[in-house]
Amino acid sequence: MTNGIAFKIFNNLVSRPMTVRFPHEAIPIPEGYRGEHEYFIDKCISCGLCAKICPNRAIEMVESPEEIRERYPKTYPEIDLGKCCFCGLCQDICPKDALKLTKNFFLSTFDKNSTIKPPIEVKNGE
Amino acid sequence: MGDAAEKPLGDSYELFLGPAFPGLGNFAVKLRMDGERILSAKADPGYLHRGFEKLMEYRLPIQNAVLSDRICILEALAWNLIHAEAVEELMGVEPPERAKYIRVIMAELSRIQSHIIWYGVLSVGIGFDTGFKLAFGYRDYILDLFEMTTGGRVYPAGYICPGGVRQDLPSGVVKRIPEVLRKMEEMVDLEEVDNPIIPSRLEDVGVLSLEDAIRLGATGPVLRASGMKTDVRKEEPYEVYDRFEFEVPVRQEGDGYARYLVGIEEIKQSIRIVKQALREMPEGDFIAREFRKPKLNVRLPEGEVYVRNEIGRGEAGLYLVSNGGTSPYRVKIRGPSFLHMIPVLEHLLKGAQIADVPAIYWSLNICPADLDR
């Protein structure tokens, strides 16, 4: 009995049965994880269902910036990740699959304003 | 015990335990002390109050399903299930067969991980830190399953929703569950190791007689450890529990050690249930057709309903009243910890030693979150 425990302790010291060395290696995130949103503005039909079903009222329908208002004249969801509970109801209710939750969970920030995710940021490069 | 209670309070003093004390977890107890002996105890909840009953009156049932995770962090799926059952009973919806099996599997896995946490916090309460680390390490195997199924490790975000479950059980999870159950059996073996610390700290500590347990409203493992054979899953089977074979562990002693042993036995029974459910799980739909896509204008029919379930901590209930609107008119949540943490705890602490407070407190398998809700 004692020998067995001593062997197990030694074995666990070298084998690390439960942990990984995080920054160097990570446990893979499974499909269907509820992380940061991905938003496709060209698929969006501005129905506003995502804003209505959001339990935390984290989604607000806002107008697009002045420069591109001709191309995107409607209102689009602006997501406040600080209020979001990552339930995925917006993804489920979206009739056009314009909103999708990704595997990205690295969302901590020092700047409170950076939690707000404007709808058009995705296409800003154009 | 009798002498201590009769002693005048002249030279006694008051000791505040909590609420910001890691040993008790967002819950306060005011102790009237005579040296090291407790003359009387007064539970002081409220630090974790979030007002779920009122919040639920403003939200749709599908949003409430997401909210119901937060009632008890350690048993989110069990609370999901209670809320979903209440809404279904009110609306007269029957979830598909496969959904019922998935629900039972999830609820039982949730019970196993909650009981493992119980073992962990009880260990740290009696000064056996290794148990705490073991418990939280092994619990992560179950959280991995939750992450693959629901998309979140701790919060399933209304995975068990009115009408069924939000996603089908992935085939990867079905393959992985037996492996995780083997790990849980390993954990149970570790809990059953002949460890003198646990009986020496828990035997004859916090003895709750059957009479007192019934009078003070104890349910679940606490009542079973005091000698009453009771389990909602057997008495009033919900979902498909009547199709599974499992035993209800009972012990007569009523002390902390009896509660600990009942907890271990319940993990074994839950493992049995999950194995049977996996074997018998049928193919088919995982959610009723009318609930497949979340809808905003679903009206709750007028009426009231009360459902009760056996969760890890005891008997939990949800009372839902609707006057025909889209949101419930009134929601009342019955958390099993409420009676365990106020009358039972006050009763058990009277006359105990200060060193036994964490042992008694954690042996009741309580969660301040579902007390304050």
Side-chain angles (χ1 to χ4, degrees), chain B residues 40-60:
Chain B
S40 70
K42 183 107 185 72
D44 184 13
Y47 193 64
L48 202 59
H49 183 69
R50 292 147 294 165
F52 283 123
E53 294 177 0
K54 198 72 191 165
L55 281 173
M56 283 189 170
E57 292 172 14
Y58 293 95
R59 289 162 192 241
L60 308 172

Side-chain angles (χ1 to χ4, degrees), chain A residues 1 8 17-18 29-34 49 52-57 85-89 92-95, chain B residues 58-60 62-63 66 70 134 137-138 141 147-148 150-152 155-157 166 186 190 193 293-296:
Chain A
M1 185 71 193
K8 203 164 189 183
M18 286 168 183
I29 304 294
E31 282 305 317
Y33 186 83
R34 291 178 274 110
L49 283 175
K52 279 181 192 139
I53 202 158
C54 183
N56 291 358
R57 295 175 194 166
C85 69
F86 300 95
C87 60
L89 286 178
D92 283 5
I93 204 170
C94 184
Chain B
Y58 293 95
R59 289 162 192 241
L60 308 172
I62 182 76
Q63 296 174 326
V66 175
R70 262 81 174 166
L134 272 177
Y138 276 93
Y141 293 116
E147 191 182 21
M148 288 161 82
T150 70
Y155 290 124
R166 275 178 65 181
E186 205 179 300
L190 286 169
V193 159
K293 202 90 179 161
K295 287 197 191 83
L296 292 168

